[in-house]
Amino acid sequence: MTQTPSLAPSNPLIPGFHPDPSVCKVGDDYYLACSSFEYLPGIPVFHSRDLAAWSLIGHVADREGQLDVCDTPTLGGAWAPTLRHHGGRFYCVVTDAHGRGSLIFTAEDPQGPWSNGTVMQGVSGIDPDIAWDEEGTCYITYSGLLLHDGDAPPTHLGIQQVRMDPRTGRALEEPRSLWSGTGLMFPEAPHLYKIDETWYLLIAEGGTERGHAVSIARSTRPEGPFEGCPANPVLSARSTDRPIQNTGHADLVQRPDGSWLMVMLGMRPRGTTRAFSPMGRETFVTSLHWEDGWPVVAPVELTPPGPEVRERDDFDDECLEPRWLGVRRLPASVASLTERSGWLRLHAGEAKAGMDDLRPAFVGRRQQHERAAFSALLDVSGGTGGISLRIDEQHHYDIEAGHGVIRARARVGSLTQTWEQPHPGDVAVLRISTEKPPADGLENLAADMVRLSVRSGTAGDSGEAWTTLALLDGRYVSAETTASFTGRSVGLYAAEGTVDADWFAYEGHDAQR
Ligand code: 6LW
């Protein structure tokens, strides 16, 4: 069978907040998983046949109890999965930060169902990797970052490793310390590979911000001793003018033609000083080749913007597309597709604080393009609700309808501001859109502006007229300002009573460089 020519992967490879990617090849198929933090379902799993086109096929954690994120602080939850295939089974090792700890999930089929998750005893740290040697011995290599509850600063033990029985999750020995990079802060994201007759240890160091970097070492044995690459770090965008920054937390995969690719997280900071990244850390890809037994990694290039993406959910199916997310709760716990045929019904229930709530009655999707518009038709005869663009419960922009009023709201830290106007009737079409900031004034420091609007009755020249209630600076809902590990998600919410959505539409395209 002739191989269809591989498409050259484009960047971002998986847009929207999809940090800490891990990729593996099984036969002619590739699978990739990412962190998901406090969102559920958690740990998205993507599939590709050519490493270029990816589709979301499900989630590792799609049931109650697999992750304990119900009360997790923002930034907590599912951190840094490693996805591997061994002995006919898929493995996903991951840390449920401030939750269950480091876990092993297994599945026969990467679409799921995945197991309930086994806690790894004796693995005190984050970013677990799983690898086997020829004898079948299983190695868990991880970052010895000890997360303490409360204000105590974390302790870091460097890169650690134990042999493990993956069936029980029990370590078979005391942890040993391995090579931990070139001395930059936060050695983490270790991955162990046997390539030809050499064991390689790939790590991230420098912290996930602008100093992020990828370094590598090699040994004749999986437990070392490891020798660092003379050219370390083999990848970093630090202090460069590259449009993709923060590159780090990488994983390697080989293609059928023998060539290698590296996936990693990165950011697309925008604004005059390129300081703000609305979508947070996304998945990117680059190529590499080997020289003297060391990888030489190409800089991560940004692909020119593609065509506009238009997606619309009419809520006519029995279940939601897998891209829909809840915050610390599964979407099905707040939203129903069966109570009103062709509508999504959201119940505010115990989420009394609207989008300020730790577990809002919210069902959303990631923003995946720099210029995006989210709109929905809502029936608010049963309560109050709308559309929210959120980073977390303290940083969100909302537009809602209810009790004869349209209300826009900006929550930035301890500050909240609202704008209102009367609205006749119980049906409203609401929209949140992002746009290029004005060329003059301080607002051009922002990556974008966020417009909160409602469709007014009269159709204007454009075929429909939108009334803007607020035009807000997008930097306050960007990853850097909020010190967020995630990025924007946008969706529907009920603040009080029940709210029905007839459809939800997404339009997105990336800005020209
Ligand atoms: C991830 C670790 C990290 O586990 O952040 O900053 C954590 N580096 O590699 C969440 O992305």
Side-chain angles (χ1 to χ4, degrees), residues 20 37 79-80 126-127 188 208 249 281 485:
D20 311 324
F37 305 96
W79 287 14
I126 63 168
D127 296 5
E188 53 199 4
T208 197
H249 203 116
R281 303 175 301 163
F485 279 157

Side-chain angles (χ1 to χ4, degrees), residues 141-154:
T141 309
Y142 57 96
S143 168
L145 177 69
L146 306 183
L147 296 172
H148 308 300
D149 289 333
D151 298 334

Side-chain angles (χ1 to χ4, degrees), residues 454-470:
V454 57
R455 190 162 71 188
S456 44
T458 54
D461 301 343
S462 64
E464 47 190 26
W466 297 91
T467 301
T468 297
L469 275 84

Side-chain angles (χ1 to χ4, degrees), residues 12 14-19 268 279 281-283 366-369:
I14 300 181
F17 72 86
H18 293 100
R268 294 187 275 173
M279 289 169 283
R281 303 175 301 163
E282 307 171 275
T283 288
R366 292 170 176 82
Q367 176 177 337
Q368 295 188 282
H369 299 85

